[in-house]
Amino acid sequence: RDNREHPMTTTANVPQWLDEPGAPLRRPPLKAFVRGRRDDPAWVRPALLGLLAATGLLYIWGLGASGWANSFYSAAVQAGSTSWKAMFFGSFDSSNFITVDKPPASLWVMDLSARIFGVNAWSILVPQALEGVAAVGLLFATVRRRFGPGAGLIAGAVMATTPVAVLMFRFNNPDALLVLLLVGAAYATVRATEKASTRWLMLTGVLIGLGFITKMMQAFLVVPGFALVYLVAAPATMKKRILDLLAAGVVMFVSAGWWVAVVTLWPAGSRPYVGGSQTNSILELIFGYNGFGRLTGNETGSVGGGGAGAGATGMWGPTGITRLFNSEFGGQVSWLIPTALVFLAAGLAFTVRRTRTDLERAHWMLWGSWLLVTGLTFSLAKGIIHPYYTVALAPAIGALVGMGAVAFWRNRDAMIARLTLTAGITAAACWSYVLLQRNSGGYQTLGVLVLLVGLAVAAAFATIPWIVQLFGDRHTAVAAKATAGLVVVALGIGIAGPAAYAVQTASVAHTGAIPSAGPATTGGGLGRGGGRFGGGNLRGGQAGTAPGLGAGTTGAQGGFGGGGGRGGAGGLLDASTPSAALVTALQANASSYSWVLATVGANNAAGYQLASGQPVMAIGGFNGSDPTPTLAQFQQLVQAGKVHYFIGSGGGPGGGQNAAGTASAITAWVAANYTPTTIGGTTVYDLSATSPSV
């Protein structure tokens, strides 16, 4: 009601969201959710909700078909759902023998879901999909703050349909949570820069720190750019900006380091072995295997055995600035990178002469630094690099494309803006054509269509003033509709190729440690059929028999030169698939043992653990290359009656001589002192039988 009719009513008694003249731009909560802000055009909120709903559908539909997806992490979720200690450390098994080779933050989300809904494919994978939807929403909110809701929607749509994003938000690797946290950090940085807000900058530090305990040093790749943006553009004195950055650095260090400190200070004898390290050290894992080793190629404990960084080409493929565009990486993420780079260069050129605190330039700097620093790191890294890592580029690509499309369209009366749009559309059409021609059938046809329509639209953008003159003043409305139609077609051209790959990715089940988005392409490498590892298809494999000790072990053939299939390289392809008879044997009297089974490699062990629901000892960790347990330690555990069965597997290519010797020594000792038996077609050794003297 009008306050003038009720003199006793003060503005303090009136809800701030009342739709009165002069009232703040807020609505009741439900109405705000449906309609959005009062100053938004009517189409904005429905379009946003539609984008988020479509993203959720794309990421969740048929999700259960992937089963355990990456069984290595699914087994760790199973462990964390039954043991708080395993959850805290990120242990592979609930008896806390060894951790996964990453920090545990992403597992914590899935662990909690599994505790609530049980351990199954949906409870593990749906949180990943929801993290993707949240990341798209946050990207929209970040980009719209300066460039408007249209730019935010384009940014979100580009990110949502990036093939590698569809893959990873439907998978249970740490990358999904990492991307969400980094987009959140970008939003906090933008808010901090707008008003030199110390609190928002502190939040940036917290989120990046959480990113560190999700995937370690990869989270820090955005730090230089974010810090530069605040240092350059925040409306405050230089002293305040520097002090704010130092404070945010301290917060980031605490957010990233508290878990590391606990693991470091915890007595080694009462915590799990730090998987991925050769000395049971979390610091070694941070700076070695998951740190600088990824850049140099000197990765002790890697599946390649370390020392692979001597030249430009190692077992992880050729390095160089064209890496993201090759047949292995290109279809995953590179569709709109050329367009993003065109818009970035033009955006910086247009804003270079503006005042120091110009927020439009700050946005270009923030997203541009994210794309360039992370992209160059992936391009030049000589160590372990998988195509799915590039999901970290999707937010930056989406933001730059959305910002550029809107900014240059608004200034289309200027020839340079029209030429920038023309160049961006041409780049998208031509590169989409190249990528689609790497496939066969309908993708090549789509590529030709995208190229022809894209070039026509690009030419139309360059001649917009002449189009308007052609219609004349009497047909201004018709001209406006024609140019608006060009915008819609241009956006369609930009996402047609990646959207086709995205739908294909969502329609296929993905399992194993090295998933890949989109259809297989000619000349594919790691993660594709005919890859560098013995011609195996690293997306999965066919049921077969793993060679080595226990020749009846059910696994999957392929990969790593025939080194044991799912057992080879610690079962890098996927988990083993035990028979019902073997599962029954593992579950029998399971409470009497700390581990119902010991076998080489965590992925090999994962199948047995997930099928039986009981802890399995993964000798040597993920690759079978960690030097744990030693032969003496294993003998003591067997004598103490803590391990029931042993199953051999192919040794795998990873690790140094110490690790390989440890696994081989254990294998040889078991074979020499215990009698093999067959359960459900699998050769096992019952370690609870008469124990030899040690």
Side-chain angles (χ1 to χ4, degrees):
R1 297 182 180 180
D2 192 326
N3 290 343
R4 291 173 297 179
E5 297 178 4
H6 303 276
M8 298 302 294
T9 303
T10 66
T11 56
N13 305 122
V14 180
Q16 292 291 300
W17 41 259
L18 282 181
D19 289 331
E20 298 176 352
L25 299 176
R26 296 177 59 189
R27 301 180 187 270
L30 180 60
K31 191 174 182 180
F33 177 78
V34 176
R35 297 282 301 276
R37 291 162 31 174
R38 289 184 61 192
D39 58 337
D40 276 344
W43 56 266
V44 172
R45 184 50 60 94
L48 173 60
L49 294 178
L51 172 63
L52 296 180
T55 301
L57 183 65
L58 181 63
Y59 291 174
I60 295 176
W61 185 265
L63 196 56
S66 292
W68 298 120
N70 189 335
S71 53
F72 175 60
Y73 291 120
S74 291
V77 171
Q78 183 194 61
S81 69
T82 59
S83 166
W84 291 107
K85 182 176 181 180
M87 177 177 172
F88 176 79
F89 286 106
S91 296
F92 173 80
D93 60 283
S94 59
S95 292
N96 292 286
F97 169 67
I98 194 169
T99 70
V100 298
D101 59 356
K102 297 291 185 295
S106 66
L107 294 174
W108 291 342
V109 178
M110 294 181 281
D111 288 340
L112 293 174
S113 175
R115 282 180 177 268
I116 297 171
F117 301 107
V119 180
N120 56 69
W122 289 94
S123 68
I124 291 173
L125 296 179
V126 168
Q128 307 295 96
L130 295 179
E131 287 165 3
V133 175
V136 170
L138 266 177
L139 183 62
F140 164 84
T142 307
V143 172
R144 76 159 291 167
R145 293 195 66 81
R146 184 60 187 173
F147 289 84
L153 289 169
I154 295 172
V158 169
M159 177 183 170
T161 55
T162 300
V164 71
V166 178
L167 173 71
M168 297 315 295
F169 289 123
R170 294 174 59 90
F171 210 68
N172 58 327
N173 280 22
D175 303 75
L177 180 61
L178 175 67
V179 169
L180 173 60
L181 290 170
L182 293 185
V183 175
Y187 177 82
T189 301
V190 167
R191 295 296 300 268
T193 305
E194 288 173 350
K195 296 183 179 180
S197 171
T198 305
R199 289 184 298 175
W200 278 106
L201 197 62
M202 299 302 101
L203 180 58
T204 299
V206 169
L207 293 173
I208 293 176
L210 292 175
F212 178 86
I213 57 176
T214 299
K215 209 178 177 189
M216 291 193 170
M217 295 185 74
Q218 184 181 333
F220 290 163
L221 293 178
V222 301
V223 171
F226 287 11
L228 181 63
V229 166
Y230 188 82
L231 184 65
V232 169
T237 64
M238 177 63 77
K239 179 180 178 180
K240 179 181 180 342
R241 283 177 275 153
I242 292 175
L243 290 176
D244 283 351
L245 286 171
L246 291 175
V250 171
V251 170
M252 183 182 72
F253 178 80
V254 173
S255 178
W258 69 269
W259 181 83
V260 175
V262 171
V263 175
T264 302
L265 297 174
W266 198 292
S270 63
R271 62 162 171 78
Y273 184 96
V274 178
S277 73
Q278 299 295 295
T279 60
N280 194 16
S281 167
I282 188 65
L283 295 179
E284 180 200 334
L285 184 66
I286 293 170
F287 296 106
Y289 178 74
N290 281 336
F292 297 114
R294 301 286 173 130
L295 302 178
T296 66
N298 296 314
E299 300 165 298
T300 303
S302 164
V303 294
T313 301
M315 70 175 295
W316 305 109
T319 61
I321 59 174
T322 61
R323 186 186 218 176
L324 297 180
F325 302 93
N326 67 23
S327 58
E328 186 176 330
F329 287 78
Q332 308 291 299
V333 75
S334 72
W335 300 85
L336 290 170
I337 288 181
T339 301
L341 292 175
V342 168
F343 287 167
L344 172 61
L348 291 175
F350 275 120
T351 58
V352 68
R353 296 180 180 275
R354 296 186 183 177
T355 61
R356 178 183 66 81
T357 58
D358 182 71
L359 292 177
E360 186 172 326
R361 184 177 58 204
H363 274 262
W364 289 114
M365 291 171 59
L366 184 144
W367 296 110
S369 65
W370 181 331
L371 176 62
L372 293 177
V373 173
T374 303
L376 286 174
T377 300
F378 290 160
S379 298
L380 303 177
K382 297 180 180 179
I384 295 176
I385 177 73
H386 300 312
Y388 68 78
Y389 290 2
T390 57
V391 67
L393 299 174
I397 296 169
L400 291 171
V401 170
M403 289 156 49
V406 169
F408 299 120
W409 174 253
R410 287 173 178 169
N411 294 279
R412 59 189 179 277
D413 290 340
M415 174 63 76
I416 188 65
R418 293 198 304 276
L419 292 179
T420 300
L421 287 172
T422 300
I425 297 168
T426 302
C430 291
W431 185 238
S432 290
Y433 171 79
V434 172
L435 291 176
L436 290 167
Q437 294 308 298
R438 292 176 179 175
N439 298 279
S440 58
Y443 291 104
Q444 291 184 340
T445 303
L446 177 62
V448 173
L449 179 63
V450 166
L451 178 64
L452 294 178
V453 176
L455 293 179
V457 171
F461 266 97
T463 57
I464 285 177
W466 292 275
I467 293 177
V468 173
Q469 289 180 5
L470 178 65
F471 284 100
D473 294 337
R474 296 178 61 183
H475 302 286
T476 302
V478 176
K481 291 180 180 179
T483 53
L486 285 178
V487 174
V488 174
V489 175
L491 294 176
I493 290 300
I495 66 172
Y501 267 45
V503 171
Q504 192 279 339
T505 300
S507 66
V508 175
H510 293 274
T511 60
I514 311 176
S516 186
T521 59
T522 57
L526 185 63
R528 305 271 185 197
R532 284 186 287 277
F533 295 98
N537 187 339
L538 297 188
R539 288 186 180 183
Q542 297 177 348
T545 300
L549 179 66
T553 302
T554 300
Q557 294 176 338
F560 297 98
R566 295 189 187 187
L572 189 58
L573 294 177
D574 203 354
S576 52
T577 306
S579 65
L582 180 56
V583 171
T584 299
L586 295 177
Q587 292 173 335
N589 202 25
S591 60
S592 300
Y593 304 94
S594 297
W595 297 275
V596 297
L597 174 67
T599 189
V600 177
N603 271 310
N604 193 38
Y608 301 113
Q609 181 167 300
L610 289 166
S612 66
Q614 302 297 326
V616 173
M617 177 183 291
I619 296 173
F622 177 64
N623 301 321
S625 61
D626 298 343
T628 186
T630 64
L631 176 58
Q633 290 170 337
F634 187 76
Q635 290 171 334
Q636 291 171 3
L637 292 171
V638 171
Q639 277 200 326
K642 294 184 178 297
V643 185
H644 193 181
Y645 291 106
F646 178 87
I647 295 177
S649 68
Q657 294 180 351
N658 184 30
T662 296
S664 297
I666 291 174
T667 297
W669 176 76
V670 171
N673 291 281
Y674 291 88
T675 302
T677 186
T678 301
I679 302 177
T682 300
T683 301
V684 303
Y685 293 80
D686 187 352
L687 304 184
S688 67
T690 304
S691 178
S693 59
V694 179

